[in-house]
Amino acid sequence: MKSLGILSAGLVFAAALGTVASGDDHVDPAVMKAVKARQAQMQLYAFNLGQLGAMAKGEVDYDAGAASAAAGNLAKLTSLNGRAVWLPGSDDATLGEDVTAALPAIWEEGSEIGDKAKALSMAAAEMESAAGDGLDALRGAIGDVGKSCGGCHEDYRRSDD
Amino acid sequence: MKSLGILSAGLVFAAALGTVASGDDHVDPAVMKAVKARQAQMQLYAFNLGQLGAMAKGEVDYDAGAASAAAGNLAKLTSLNGRAVWLPGSDDATLGEDVTAALPAIWEEGSEIGDKAKALSMAAAEMESAAGDGLDALRGAIGDVGKSCGGCHEDYRRSDD
């Protein structure tokens, strides 16, 4: 049982991280944890894409190693299995707009969310192949990554504009 | 330039996520973003390990598909390239204890952080192989994952106990 003791320490840590949010007292803690996890995943998408975008825009010098690292990370992150974080009933209409911007359409009949996710993951794989091959190759691949982010956000994320 | 426009929209989103934290006005925004990104990564470790731990402890029924998904995610997450998030100078002595619990020892001469990270990644790979093979196999693999979390936290994360 020693291993479970160590694990428990890890879970206490996890629980502590899960309570950072506020204004969500009405949400089932397990659902809230899933929402926070997918938001963390989006944050890591943005972080790694941000590294690549800064090079594409010339804000930082191109670095093949750093570009490959960021693109490799993005490829892994966009291929994570999402079943535990995209729980049915975790949309903004159910949980509240202060908790999530995920639209109910994600889970509705005819949702193309699976195709959108696959498009992102494929664009990230292309980026992973290209990122180390010079700035032009990186620039050539980044458009499809951005488009696949936007392609999903347009239909499935609430816009507050 | 259209693709960069789409990318910019993504980066605005990233920037918005990066401003959630408070009490860190004194920290370089680029460093803060890196700290937040590694904290998001830890949160995803904990989320996925939490799914496996709940099964190991019998809190939820064993489900081979869910276990494999969580373990596969953990294997990918623990093999992300960390160079952009573990920036030198992003320790708790430099940034403040309210910002991070990462100890300066991570970056000091003789640091074993690389070996610790590799141990976690290897334990997660073992878990990925085992998780779908039944509850006993999952239980057999989870101890090493927990130990490798703890092995790094003991030496390199500030304890507030």
Side-chain angles (χ1 to χ4, degrees):
Chain A
M1 295 306 283
K2 194 185 165 208
S3 63
L4 291 182
I6 291 169
L7 177 66
S8 296
L11 296 179
V12 168
F13 177 56
L17 280 169
T19 55
V20 172
S22 61
D24 50 36
D25 299 348
H26 57 294
V27 180
D28 175 343
V31 174
M32 198 60 220
K33 217 177 273 190
V35 170
K36 290 283 157 198
R38 71 195 188 207
Q39 289 170 348
Q41 189 174 342
M42 294 287 172
Q43 187 182 342
L44 289 172
Y45 288 179
F47 179 80
N48 286 284
L49 183 55
Q51 310 271 311
L52 296 163
M55 291 186 214
K57 291 189 280 181
E59 292 169 2
V60 305
D61 288 342
Y62 174 75
D63 174 320
S68 290
N73 286 350
L74 195 62
K76 284 178 182 166
L77 289 162
T78 56
S79 64
L80 292 179
N81 185 304
R83 61 183 274 179
V85 299
W86 295 101
L87 298 174
S90 64
D91 56 86
D92 72 333
T94 305
L95 302 183
E97 298 199 349
D98 56 327
V99 173
T100 178
L103 296 175
I106 292 169
W107 293 272
E108 279 166 10
E109 188 78 29
S111 168
E112 293 176 350
I113 195 79
D115 293 338
K116 303 280 188 186
K118 193 179 284 179
L120 173 59
S121 161
M122 284 174 62
E126 291 291 325
M127 172 57 92
E128 187 180 16
S129 303
D133 289 342
L135 185 54
D136 285 345
L138 186 160
R139 283 186 171 144
I142 205 164
D144 280 348
V145 178
K147 252 183 273 183
S148 58
C149 293
C152 198
H153 288 168
E154 259 171 47
D155 293 340
Y156 298 112
R157 186 171 59 124
R158 191 183 66 248
S159 164
D160 290 325
D161 296 345
Chain B
M1 295 305 286
K2 193 184 163 208
S3 63
L4 290 183
I6 292 169
L7 176 66
S8 296
L11 296 180
V12 169
F13 177 57
L17 280 169
T19 56
V20 172
S22 60
D24 49 36
D25 298 348
H26 58 294
V27 180
D28 175 345
V31 174
M32 198 62 220
K33 217 179 272 190
V35 170
K36 290 284 157 196
R38 72 194 187 207
Q39 289 170 348
Q41 188 174 342
M42 293 287 171
Q43 186 181 343
L44 290 172
Y45 288 179
F47 179 80
N48 286 284
L49 184 55
Q51 309 270 312
L52 296 163
M55 292 185 212
K57 291 190 280 183
E59 290 169 3
V60 306
D61 288 342
Y62 174 75
D63 174 320
S68 291
N73 287 350
L74 195 62
K76 283 178 183 168
L77 290 162
T78 56
S79 64
L80 292 179
N81 185 304
R83 60 182 273 178
V85 299
W86 295 100
L87 298 175
S90 64
D91 57 88
D92 71 333
T94 305
L95 302 182
E97 297 199 349
D98 55 327
V99 173
T100 177
L103 295 176
I106 292 170
W107 293 272
E108 281 167 7
E109 189 75 31
S111 169
E112 293 176 348
I113 195 80
D115 293 339
K116 302 281 186 186
K118 193 179 282 178
L120 172 59
S121 162
M122 285 175 61
E126 290 290 325
M127 172 57 91
E128 186 179 17
S129 304
D133 289 342
L135 186 54
D136 285 346
L138 185 160
R139 283 185 171 145
I142 205 164
D144 280 347
V145 178
K147 252 182 274 184
S148 58
C149 293
C152 199
H153 288 170
E154 257 170 50
D155 293 340
Y156 299 112
R157 186 170 59 124
R158 191 183 65 249
S159 164
D160 291 324
D161 296 345

